[in-house]
Amino acid sequence: MSFRDRICGMNSHYRFYSLERFFQEMQKHAITQAEIWTGPMHFYVDAHRNDDISSLLALSKQYGVRMIGICPEQTNPKPNHIASPTRQEEIYRYYCRMVDLACAVKAQHVLITSGWAYYDEPKEDAWNRSLSMMYRICEYAKSKDILMAMEALQPDESVLVNSVADLQRYLKELNHPSLKVCIDFGAMARAENTIQDYFDAFGSDIIHTHFVDGNPTGHLAWSDGARDLQTDLACLRKNQYNGYLSLETATSRYYEKPWLAEEKTLTAFSKLRGEET
């Protein structure tokens, strides 16, 4: 499958439009898979209930867009982060619901992060809480045959896992087969890591990418930033990456006309030589 065929839409920048409009735009642009962000305006989930999954399945079938991943709300100030010192049983149930949702739509993974620490507490306290909750979630995911894909965060989002070195330490200490790696190109650039750094560290444990342009960060559509699309695809190919390229263009510049982000990325792909796509 070509890289163009592995482009994966993401609905976070469609937050001022209906979820159906997102699926319509994916069909219009011949993007046949999606990572579903569970923003409450599109698909509500909490520890106790969620919207009717049949509505997601109906949209998927109607527009020919397969759901390959679930991305829960979990960054600050969202309440359901796994390093939280409070509400731990509710948070655990929240992620179990995400795993169940992934099962129901036949997705391969749930995207997860480390959570964050308060600035006025020892970092290691939050680190240990994160590991403890992550292990419980991974055990539940394993029982459902779902993988957890972990991405690094930028330092203004969390001080726990920001780099390849942090991810290496985290995965080593957790030591659970259900926890894999997502390369978030924004966090990667912020940490001054490279695609090759990730593959040197994690190899085939990299199962997903948040594939975005940046200056160097910014979660931008391709051509709106300074990255070289051809070079990045060549590095993925060299390392035999066979996952999806999820377009997490989660920035407000695209909110009014979100489909322009996909159009810019697809135009950038169309300018590549055939062997590069």
Side-chain angles (χ1 to χ4, degrees):
M1 184 185 293
S2 70
F3 282 124
R4 168 60 180 87
D5 292 336
R6 284 188 268 158
I7 288 175
C8 173
M10 203 168 172
N11 56 305
S12 56
H13 61 301
Y14 282 79
R15 64 188 63 192
F16 290 100
Y17 289 83
S18 67
L19 185 58
E20 183 167 12
R21 180 61 181 272
F22 165 73
F23 276 91
Q24 289 171 343
E25 292 294 333
M26 294 306 100
Q27 183 187 63
K28 176 181 176 181
H29 292 99
I31 296 174
T32 57
Q33 46 273 324
E35 178 179 2
I36 298 299
W37 169 69
T38 59
M41 72 293 294
H42 283 170
F43 193 84
Y44 182 83
V45 184
D46 64 25
H48 307 288
R49 66 184 180 88
N50 52 259
D51 285 341
D52 186 357
I53 294 173
S54 65
S55 64
L56 276 179
L57 294 171
L59 289 170
S60 175
K61 182 177 180 180
Q62 180 178 354
Y63 294 102
V65 178
R66 185 166 63 94
M67 293 171 281
I68 59 87
I70 301 297
C71 183
E73 285 197 308
Q74 57 194 298
T75 53
N76 198 337
K78 303 302 181 182
N80 293 307
H81 73 102
I82 71 170
S84 174
T86 62
R87 300 179 51 256
Q88 291 181 349
E89 289 308 307
E90 285 193 355
I91 290 169
Y92 173 68
R93 290 197 298 271
Y94 174 79
Y95 284 98
C96 288
R97 281 188 176 274
M98 295 299 179
V99 170
D100 290 342
L101 174 59
C103 283
V105 302
K106 296 182 170 56
Q108 72 160 6
H109 71 266
V110 173
L111 195 284
I112 200 161
T113 70
S114 64
W116 65 89
Y118 289 115
Y119 289 150
D120 58 353
E121 71 168 333
K123 175 181 171 180
E124 288 299 307
D125 289 354
W127 177 276
N128 291 330
R129 291 195 305 266
S130 177
L131 284 173
S132 178
M133 181 64 73
M134 183 72 83
Y135 196 89
R136 291 182 66 192
I137 294 166
C138 284
E139 282 287 275
Y140 186 78
K142 183 180 178 182
S143 75
K144 300 292 185 175
D145 199 27
I146 294 292
L147 297 174
M148 306 302 295
M150 185 176 181
E151 66 178 5
L153 295 173
Q154 297 183 42
D156 51 341
E157 297 171 315
S158 172
V159 298
L160 296 182
V161 176
N162 305 129
S163 66
V164 165
D166 295 337
L167 271 170
Q168 280 183 302
R169 178 191 167 196
Y170 195 99
L171 267 67
K172 181 178 180 180
E173 292 186 13
L174 189 78
N175 190 28
H176 198 289
S178 294
L179 186 61
K180 305 298 182 182
V181 173
C182 168
I183 306 177
D184 181 273
F185 275 41
M188 176 184 74
R190 181 73 175 274
E192 299 184 349
N193 291 141
T194 66
I195 297 171
Q196 194 59 53
D197 290 337
Y198 267 83
F199 279 96
D200 289 345
F202 306 113
S204 62
D205 280 338
I206 297 169
I207 63 168
H208 193 53
T209 60
H210 281 164
F211 187 71
V212 288
D213 206 344
N215 284 310
T217 65
H219 285 78
L220 303 178
W222 287 92
S223 77
D224 277 350
R227 297 194 66 85
D228 187 285
L229 177 60
Q230 184 169 311
T231 298
D232 284 349
L233 291 175
C235 191
L236 292 173
R237 180 178 297 103
K238 180 183 74 172
N239 287 283
Q240 300 181 329
Y241 174 69
N242 59 8
Y244 292 98
L245 311 176
S246 188
L247 305 182
E248 192 195 25
T249 47
T251 182
S252 60
R253 73 160 67 182
Y254 305 118
Y255 286 172
E256 187 174 352
K257 296 180 179 179
W259 49 86
L260 295 181
E262 285 81 45
E263 290 174 6
K264 288 183 176 186
T265 289
L266 294 176
T267 296
F269 267 77
S270 73
K271 294 177 180 179
L272 299 174
R273 297 189 303 271
E275 65 269 21
E276 296 300 335
T277 58

